[in-house]
Amino acid sequence: GVFSYDQDVVSSSNVYNVDWMYGNSYDEERMSKVQLGIKPDPANDGVYESWQITVTGEVENEMTFTLSDIIENGPKVTKISKSQCTINPNGGPLIANVQITGVPLSYLLNQASIKDTATMMCVGATGFGKNHYTQQVLSQVNLDECYLVYEINGEPIPYEWGYPVMSWYEGRFANENVKGIGEIIVTTDDPNEFTYNRSRHNNEGIETVSPNLAICNFVDGQIISANDPYTFEGYADAFDHRISAVEFSFDNGATWTTYETPDTTTDRWVYWYFEWTPPASGSYVISARAVDEFGKPCYRIIQKLVNVQ
């Protein structure tokens, strides 16, 4: 077959949503608006001007910013970035690769002049918080950054994702992002005490969805034509580990053909294409899996039945 890949393929703005309701007014208001089909309207609702984000704790200057101040004065970044949920099943839909627009969280931390500390906590309007490493967030040499995101694919972030602003920690896990972020607390907590829910694990403690791969836009039993090229497509991702290869098999995994994916990065998914020409009519099974930078393949192989006529 003929293999290619692209990390800049963008998914739709109708991104997945995994939500936990905390029963406060912020959750109730935003989810009621979702049910009523109300779309965010920052040009008229005044939320950017009234929404406040405070930086407190181990800083020289505790500060409060409005979202409009951050957007107007901060270093705006627009780029393609991914988000995958840790409960995304093998070949599942809980992943998005979108164009985000936001301001680096390091801009706020530098404005407040943080002390020599180890960690910080982002807290949302629900009271939910998540710890991050300040050294990583402040590092300008790291590819992965943490952003205050207010637009996805050129539109205000939806209520489901925490309108008007959410934290977006690149290359990490979606459950580390905080919806409706309103406070940043800089602390001296020991980062070694953090526990991150990285991927799913089975009863033996083995990660089951990292790396992950899906065959997209194809259904089991789909009919294609003999002797005509057909292009399969899908994503591969391993959270904060780089995808190093995508592999295919047509003999139920007895043998694999490996296509390396050099120079891929962890801030975006790897969207692959595999053009295959069926040699004759009949039924085939295509098997696919991804391999991460440490040589670990997918825990579960993704397979699709292909009917050729």
Side-chain angles (χ1 to χ4, degrees):
V2 179
F3 177 81
S4 63
Y5 64 94
D6 183 354
Q7 291 199 271
D8 290 333
V9 173
V10 173
S11 53
S12 73
S13 295
N14 186 25
V15 292
Y16 74 92
N17 180 52
V18 179
D19 220 338
W20 281 264
M21 300 293 289
Y22 293 91
N24 60 15
S25 59
Y26 170 73
D27 265 346
E28 292 170 355
E29 179 181 356
R30 69 184 181 87
M31 293 312 294
S32 65
K33 289 180 177 178
V34 171
Q35 297 299 319
L36 293 171
I38 299 174
K39 302 297 183 182
D41 185 15
N44 297 302
D45 62 19
V47 171
Y48 284 6
E49 290 73 27
S50 61
W51 191 271
Q52 294 185 336
I53 300 176
T54 62
V55 182
T56 62
E58 297 296 312
V59 295
E60 297 293 342
N61 306 300
E62 294 193 352
M63 301 184 69
T64 298
F65 304 81
T66 65
L67 181 55
S68 59
D69 288 338
I70 295 170
I71 295 172
E72 181 178 350
N73 300 315
K76 184 171 72 172
V77 175
T78 297
K79 62 170 297 187
I80 294 174
S81 186
K82 74 174 184 196
S83 175
Q84 181 179 189
C85 187
T86 56
I87 63 172
N88 191 25
N90 298 101
L94 303 183
I95 186 170
N97 202 59
V98 293
Q99 178 182 278
I100 61 170
T101 298
V103 174
L105 193 54
S106 56
Y107 166 73
L108 274 67
L109 296 176
N110 286 325
Q111 291 287 307
S113 300
I114 70 168
K115 300 177 182 178
D116 185 17
T117 55
T119 63
M120 67 175 184
M121 175 175 284
C122 296
V123 181
T126 63
F128 172 78
K130 205 71 176 178
N131 283 3
H132 299 307
Y133 296 85
T134 53
Q135 291 92 337
Q136 289 181 333
V137 173
L138 289 171
S139 174
Q140 298 304 310
V141 298
N142 282 353
L143 173 66
D144 300 339
E145 247 283 22
C146 190
Y147 297 97
L148 297 174
V149 169
Y150 54 91
E151 288 184 0
I152 292 178
N153 287 347
E155 300 290 338
I157 66 172
Y159 284 107
E160 299 97 309
W161 279 51
Y163 176 76
V165 62
M166 66 179 294
S167 65
W168 187 286
Y169 203 173
E170 276 200 317
R172 302 292 289 185
F173 330 115
N175 61 304
E176 292 186 30
N177 298 327
V178 175
K179 300 176 180 181
I181 184 170
E183 185 175 12
I184 302 163
I185 305 171
V186 183
T187 75
T188 56
D189 293 343
D190 183 357
N192 295 318
E193 295 180 358
F194 293 175
T195 56
Y196 290 115
N197 180 23
R198 186 188 187 283
S199 178
R200 276 180 158 179
H201 295 75
N202 62 14
N203 292 335
E204 287 74 42
I206 300 173
E207 283 186 321
T208 59
V209 293
S210 182
N212 199 353
L213 175 142
I215 299 174
C216 299
N217 302 318
F218 189 91
V219 296
D220 265 323
Q222 186 167 322
I223 300 172
I224 62 176
S225 300
N227 301 310
D228 288 340
Y230 182 86
T231 301
F232 296 94
E233 62 182 276
Y235 73 77
D237 186 65
F239 296 106
D240 56 342
H241 294 170
R242 191 180 66 82
I243 294 294
S244 64
V246 177
E247 299 183 324
F248 300 95
S249 173
F250 281 89
D251 55 12
N252 288 312
T255 59
W256 292 92
T257 299
T258 301
Y259 296 94
E260 295 183 351
T261 56
D263 304 321
T264 55
T265 57
T266 59
D267 60 328
R268 295 164 293 163
W269 67 10
V270 174
Y271 202 86
W272 54 264
Y273 302 91
F274 181 65
E275 181 187 284
W276 174 69
T277 303
S281 299
S283 294
Y284 300 79
V285 173
I286 180 173
S287 303
R289 67 184 184 184
V291 181
D292 71 14
E293 60 185 304
F294 301 103
K296 178 186 174 185
C298 290
Y299 174 79
R300 184 170 287 110
I301 298 168
I302 300 301
Q303 295 182 313
K304 295 289 186 180
L305 173 66
V306 185
N307 286 315
V308 178
Q309 66 179 20

